[in-house]
């Protein structure tokens, strides 16, 4: 993992170089908060989405070259490259999902069955399907070729914040404001696993490339590592001083990153293969003040101190051997031993992207995940139930306020358009009368 891309409420995109003595790149261009970022499979482009209703494609270099296109009529919440790097899928508060070509950013088609904001949309590993999550509390599975909704999953009681495909392409997992994580088989449409391990809203999740583990990020300030084979909670990670808004494994699985409302991005190194103890994994947390302060052989990760503002965004990490150009990626199965705090901005979603066209091989992937329901362990700690319910109520009220502001913005836009039209008509009438008087 040589680079990490992050987006921020300060409307900037940052590319962080993990090598010592390497500087970070700051990209300015968006007019409002950056809500999502991702590297292309080749690593030659970075896509970013924003509240300014646009998507930008950046060349991750010092020149910060980018092309922008107006993708939606409302905030763009999510952007995701297809596996072949030829297409983009975007999700928006205008309740639509749109697919574009990367070359010339040509609009291809739109998917329109959600009845509320669409928070996330992802391509399947083989690019044949698209999965989306929405504030209408549904997860929808789409056929890319027929452009039809194949199935809708209704099991969540809250908003569906995030969704992703299992590396095998046979399952999906979704995170919700009902504090749960659910895993479905997309062939049988049956729910395979249900994890109620968080005491707060689950904001993001990411599959390990081997397919055996899932990591989740929650507003209860923790991350959880779930063993999908055994169907149990392996470990609870503490480090952020507030809601953890995003998390993502690197394509090799040797690292994962997390972002929180404490304006920090933490990079963790993992050791799944050399785990000890009955819980199956040992994790230690270290932080340092700067990238340059660490020797190249250190297992602790650096700290980035650039963005002063809180963000709701998506960060993408490149693979272990990224050097700015195509390179080979080796599939690994190690995860979570040390972290670097990066004080930059709060990320809402983290998605991983490889720097090569290598397809990740699943190792030891079970044909069918066990059907389980995992409950949170008392030893994990967390927020007391009374405070958690109060916070949940506050979050609900904030969602209502946000929706109200969005409606008011739309009405204001309509009013401005009508006012402009009236003024133009008035000017035309005035000119007509003037000409008649002159005649």
């Amino acid at each position: 993992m040589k680079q990490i891309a992050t987006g921020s409420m300060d409307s900037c995109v940052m590319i962080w170089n993990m090598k010592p003595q390497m500087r970070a790149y700051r990209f300015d261009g968006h007019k409002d908060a950056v809500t999502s970022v991702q590297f292309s499979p080749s690593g030659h482009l970075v896509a970013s989405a924003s509240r300014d209703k646009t998507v930008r494609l950046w060349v991750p270099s010092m020149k910060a070259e980018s092309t922008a296109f107006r993708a939606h009529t409302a905030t763009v919440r999510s952007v995701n490259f297809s596996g072949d790097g030829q297409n983009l899928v975007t999700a928006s508060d205008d309740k639509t999902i749109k697919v574009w070509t990367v070359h010339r950013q040509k609009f291809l088609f739109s998917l329109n069955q959600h009845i509320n904001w669409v928070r996330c949309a992802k391509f399947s590993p083989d690019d044949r399907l698209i999965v989306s999550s929405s504030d209408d509390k549904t997860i929808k599975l789409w056929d890319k070729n027929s452009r039809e909704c194949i199935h809708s999953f209704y099991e969540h009681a809250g908003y569906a914040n995030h969704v992703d495909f299992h590396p095998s392409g046979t399952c999906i997992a979704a995170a919700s404001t009902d504090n749960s994580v659910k895993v479905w088989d997309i062939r049988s449409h049956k729910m395979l696993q249900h994890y109620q391990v968080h005491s707060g809203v689950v904001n993001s999740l990411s599959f390990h490339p081997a397919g055996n583990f899932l990591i989740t990020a929650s507003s209860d300030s923790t991350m959880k590592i779930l063993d999908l084979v055994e169907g149990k909670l392996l470990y609870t990670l503490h480090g952020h001083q507030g809601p953890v808004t995003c998390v993502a494994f690197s394509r090799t699985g040797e690292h994962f990153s997390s972002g929180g409302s404490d304006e920090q991005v933490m990079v963790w190194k993992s050791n799944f293969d050399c785990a000890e103890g009955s819980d199956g994994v040992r994790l230690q947390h270290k932080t340092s003040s700067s990238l340059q302060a660490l020797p190249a052989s250190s297992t602790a990760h650096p700290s980035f101190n650039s963005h002063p503002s809180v963000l709701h965004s998506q960060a993408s990490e490149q693979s272990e051997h990224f050097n700015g150009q195509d390179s080979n990626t080796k599939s690994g199965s190690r995860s979570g031993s040390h972290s670097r705090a990066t004080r930059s901005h709060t990320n809402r979603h983290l998605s991983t992207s490889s720097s090569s066209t290598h397809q990740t091989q699943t190792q030891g992937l079970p044909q069918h995940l066990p059907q389980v329901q995992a409950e949170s362990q008392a030893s994990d700690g967390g927020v007391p139930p009374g405070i958690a319910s109060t916070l949940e109520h506050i979050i609900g009220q904030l969602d209502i306020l946000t929706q109200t502001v969005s409606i008011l913005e739309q009405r204001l836009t309509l009013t401005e358009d009508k006012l402009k039209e009236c003024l133009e008509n008035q000017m035309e009438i005035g000119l007509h009368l003037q000409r008649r008087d002159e005649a």
Side-chain angles (χ1 to χ4, degrees):
M1 181 176 56
K2 300 304 181 185
Q3 287 185 317
I4 296 178
T6 58
S8 170
M9 288 286 285
D10 61 12
S11 76
C12 295
V13 174
M14 295 288 295
I15 305 294
W16 306 92
N17 288 291
M18 303 301 288
K19 288 183 178 180
Q21 310 304 324
M22 292 289 287
R23 59 170 292 181
Y25 299 135
R26 179 187 177 97
F27 297 163
D28 295 303
H30 283 295
K31 305 302 182 184
D32 206 334
V34 179
T35 56
S36 175
V37 295
Q38 192 192 26
F39 280 102
S40 65
S42 68
H44 293 159
L45 292 173
V46 173
S48 60
S50 172
R51 284 185 184 172
D52 65 11
K53 308 174 187 177
T54 69
V55 169
R56 280 183 177 267
L57 293 175
W58 307 83
V59 177
S61 65
M62 289 180 62
K63 294 181 180 180
E65 298 172 348
S66 71
T67 58
F69 62 98
R70 186 180 177 89
H72 290 270
T73 59
T75 295
V76 188
R77 293 284 175 183
S78 169
V79 61
N80 179 248
F81 280 97
S82 59
D84 61 10
Q86 299 300 309
N87 295 322
L88 287 169
V89 61
T90 57
S92 170
D93 287 359
D94 64 12
K95 307 175 188 177
T96 69
I97 302 146
K98 293 184 179 181
V99 178
W100 313 79
T101 63
V102 173
H103 180 61
R104 297 186 179 178
Q105 299 84 56
K106 179 183 176 183
F107 170 73
L108 295 178
F109 59 87
S110 180
L111 306 172
N112 303 296
Q113 291 189 25
H114 281 295
I115 58 174
N116 206 333
W117 297 354
V118 188
R119 294 283 181 176
C120 184
K122 298 284 185 71
F123 283 107
S124 62
D126 60 8
D127 294 336
R128 294 188 305 107
L129 303 173
I130 294 171
V131 68
S132 59
S133 62
S134 169
D135 280 8
D136 63 13
K137 303 180 182 179
T138 69
I139 306 295
K140 291 188 183 294
L141 195 63
W142 310 82
D143 186 291
K144 180 186 169 186
N145 293 326
S146 68
R147 306 175 188 179
E148 294 180 353
C149 180
I150 300 172
H151 189 76
S152 295
F153 301 92
Y154 296 95
E155 283 83 353
H156 277 300
Y159 300 154
N161 281 333
H162 191 86
V163 67
D164 203 359
F165 277 96
H166 187 276
S168 68
T170 61
C171 304
I172 57 171
S176 172
T177 59
D178 63 12
N179 304 355
S180 74
V181 174
K182 292 180 170 65
V183 181
W184 291 274
D185 188 314
I186 64 172
R187 299 160 297 185
S188 65
H189 303 151
K190 291 183 179 179
M191 185 170 66
L192 298 178
Q193 297 181 346
H194 173 208
Y195 295 93
Q196 198 76 37
V197 294
H198 285 287
S199 60
V201 170
V202 187
N203 298 308
S204 180
L205 52 78
S206 178
F207 284 102
H208 187 276
N212 295 340
F213 303 99
L214 181 71
I215 189 167
T216 59
S218 170
S219 294
D220 64 11
S221 78
T222 70
M223 291 175 287
K224 308 277 185 178
I225 295 179
L226 307 173
D227 185 332
L228 298 176
V229 179
E230 298 294 330
K232 66 179 183 181
L233 172 65
L234 276 186
Y235 208 82
T236 299
L237 299 179
H238 299 271
H240 288 282
Q241 300 303 311
V244 188
T245 51
C246 57
V247 69
F249 278 110
S250 64
R251 185 57 64 92
T252 65
E254 292 187 23
H255 295 85
F256 59 91
S257 298
S258 61
S261 61
D262 55 3
E263 300 180 9
Q264 294 200 41
V265 176
M266 294 186 178
V267 183
W268 305 74
K269 185 172 182 179
S270 41
N271 293 315
F272 279 150
D273 280 348
C274 54
E276 297 179 10
S278 59
D279 59 0
V281 61
R282 293 190 343 180
L283 295 134
Q284 296 176 344
H285 172 247
K286 293 183 180 180
T287 62
S288 66
S289 61
S290 69
L291 178 60
Q292 290 76 13
L294 288 169
S297 61
S298 175
T299 52
H301 292 195
S303 165
F304 310 105
N305 305 285
S306 175
H307 291 290
S309 62
V310 174
L311 104 133
H312 294 279
S313 95
Q314 194 169 43
S316 292
E317 359 167 25
Q318 296 246 31
S319 68
E320 311 295 330
H321 306 287
F322 177 73
N323 58 9
Q325 300 176 356
D326 287 331
S327 56
N328 293 325
T329 311
K330 295 182 179 179
S331 178
S333 57
R334 303 168 35 157
S335 147
S337 179
H338 303 279
S339 81
R340 308 183 189 188
T342 118
R343 184 150 187 100
S344 57
H345 41 223
T346 358
N347 294 299
R348 178 167 178 76
H349 303 289
L350 269 155
S351 70
T352 59
S353 177
S354 172
S355 61
S356 76
T357 55
H358 169 79
Q359 294 295 322
T360 303
Q361 300 294 320
T362 47
Q363 300 175 356
L365 176 67
Q367 293 297 317
H368 299 284
L369 295 176
Q371 298 191 23
V372 299
Q373 290 194 3
E375 301 295 332
S376 58
Q377 300 176 2
S379 61
D380 291 338
V383 182
I387 297 176
S389 62
T390 302
L391 290 173
E392 186 70 24
H393 176 71
I394 292 171
I395 291 170
Q397 294 300 311
L398 287 173
D399 282 335
I400 293 171
L401 286 172
T402 305
Q403 293 180 31
T404 303
V405 170
S406 178
I407 293 170
L408 289 173
E409 287 178 348
Q410 293 176 13
R411 289 180 178 176
L412 181 60
T413 302
L414 290 173
T415 304
E416 289 175 346
D417 291 342
K418 289 181 179 179
L419 181 60
K420 184 178 178 181
E421 185 180 348
C422 289
L423 289 173
E424 288 175 351
N425 291 336
Q426 212 168 17
M427 288 177 65
E428 288 180 3
I429 293 171
L431 288 171
H432 178 71
L433 291 173
Q434 185 178 358
R435 288 170 185 167
R436 190 178 66 179
D437 291 341
E438 290 176 353

